[in-house]
Amino acid sequence: MKNKILVTGSAGFIGFHLSMALLKRGDIVVGVDNINDYYDTTLKFSRLSQLGIQQNEIIDNKKSKSKIFENFTFYKVSIQNNTEINKLFESEGFDIVVNLAAQAGVRYSMENPYIYIESNCNGFMSILEACRHNKIKNLVYASTSSVYGLNYHMPLIETESTEHPMTLYAATKKANEMMAHSYSHLFGLSTTGLRFFTVYGPWGRPDMALFLFTKNILENKPINVFNNGNMVRDFTYVDDIVQGIIKCIDSPAKPNLNWNKNSIIDPSTSSAPYNIYNIGNSNPTLLNDYIEAIELSLNMKAKKNLLPMQLGDVPETHADISSISTNLNFKPSVTIHEGVEKFVEWYLNYYKK
């Protein structure tokens, strides 16, 4: 039987790619997005058009049917609107929920903190309650590598402390993990939280480094390079992220039967049906080398505006992915040069450069 899957944030970067992958394998997908103006909504509507949803046919809180995929429908609704979310769950009868809707951006949380509480906490509460009352089989949701905060023990592993987030964005995602556990424990809801590591690729957000760097290099403008380019990131191509999400969709979290017997409590599993996984490439790359890959793909040199480290930033990320690799056979495959080249190809085509 085909699963009926709700994907929140389906007009967003990762949500769009996940929806496309699920549709192509035959799942029934319902997309939800509020299409807010955190960045250019034209890009969000363009993603939706790839899924067969036309902008002029989108009406608040109403169903839009795809012109391309007969198994895709879309609703423009905010996840924090619990009344509309409850109606949606009751009318559609989902089997599985993937919550990717959130207010993104680490630094933006310093300027507009209340938006993060409203979207990332109150919105996630709406999803949890709807899952609880509608007997959802499996909830998969986005967390972030930012939850590791002041933990600089590399590689970062799920059993390490995440008690010292450096931004409110990270704190809201840590809160999501704790909220999910309470529902797994109290109501038996199977939940899997995924800590994404620096996702990049075609259709990415305009506030992401790869997008900003590519745009400025093409326009012969300097790029802002923080910490003089001496930062290390575990850049992860979006197709690898989607592969990991789908593996979690197909393998709901189960209780760890040995959890209470362990002398050291594992925070990534539980006696409840609850899992936390890192999803990264596990091949950290120096920021200057990342920029060099962009230069090679564009055949242009970047003008660098070297700057100190930003508030709330970390010098290095490196995902230990042994848990998801062992349990779900997750294997990232796209190299930095391959991924950057695919993004540049998309960017040049989309913006007619």
Side-chain angles (χ1 to χ4, degrees), residues 62-286:
K62 300 294 184 183
K63 180 187 289 188
S64 300
K65 292 189 69 66
S66 172
K67 297 289 195 297
I68 299 172
F69 298 98
E70 63 178 16
N71 48 338
F72 183 66
T73 53
F74 175 78
Y75 291 81
K76 181 175 183 271
V77 62
S78 295
I79 60 170
Q80 55 263 44
N81 186 339
N82 60 295
T83 300
E84 291 298 329
I85 289 296
N86 286 334
K87 287 180 185 176
L88 182 63
F89 272 72
E90 289 170 5
S91 64
E92 291 287 351
F94 304 117
D95 299 303
I96 296 165
V97 174
V98 182
N99 185 59
L100 301 176
Q103 178 56 58
V106 172
R107 280 172 283 280
Y108 190 63
S109 67
M110 301 175 207
E111 302 169 25
N112 294 280
Y114 291 103
I115 294 173
Y116 286 77
I117 300 300
E118 183 64 25
S119 179
N120 298 5
C121 294
N122 294 348
F124 192 57
M125 186 75 244
S126 293
I127 296 296
L128 286 171
E129 273 290 275
C131 287
R132 168 195 175 189
H133 291 294
N134 290 276
K135 308 302 180 187
I136 299 301
K137 299 175 186 175
N138 185 13
L139 169 63
V140 180
Y141 62 95
S143 185
T144 173
S145 62
S146 296
V147 299
Y148 289 105
L150 293 175
N151 187 340
Y152 296 145
H153 297 153
M154 298 296 153
L156 296 163
I157 189 168
E158 298 93 337
T159 53
E160 294 265 4
S161 169
T162 54
E163 302 307 314
H164 300 93
M166 295 169 65
T167 64
L168 182 66
Y169 167 71
T172 62
K173 289 298 190 175
K174 172 67 174 177
N176 286 173
E177 295 179 1
M178 300 296 92
M179 293 162 72
H181 184 268
S182 69
Y183 272 64
S184 295
H185 174 74
L186 291 171
F187 310 115
L189 174 63
S190 180
T191 67
T192 300
L194 301 175
R195 293 174 179 167
F196 298 148
F197 279 71
T198 317
V199 190
Y200 73 101
W203 298 97
R205 297 200 321 264
D207 63 328
M208 291 176 161
L210 178 54
F211 199 112
L212 292 168
F213 290 168
T214 300
K215 181 178 186 292
N216 280 21
I217 292 170
L218 282 168
E219 294 176 0
N220 202 30
K221 296 177 181 177
I223 62 174
N224 290 332
V225 182
F226 295 100
N227 201 34
N228 299 313
N230 294 318
M231 292 194 294
V232 173
R233 288 290 180 270
D234 201 336
F235 295 104
T236 312
Y237 191 67
V238 66
D239 286 359
D240 287 331
I241 291 287
V242 166
Q243 174 215 152
I245 297 171
I246 290 175
K247 286 182 179 294
C248 294
I249 287 172
D250 294 342
S251 299
K254 295 180 174 60
N256 179 353
L257 299 179
N258 295 316
W259 194 77
N260 286 329
K261 300 173 185 175
N262 294 338
S263 56
I264 299 175
I265 298 298
D266 177 1
S268 69
T269 67
S270 174
S271 55
Y274 170 88
N275 277 332
I276 297 291
Y277 288 123
N278 288 338
I279 295 190
N281 194 48
S282 201
N283 187 21
T285 301
L286 190 67

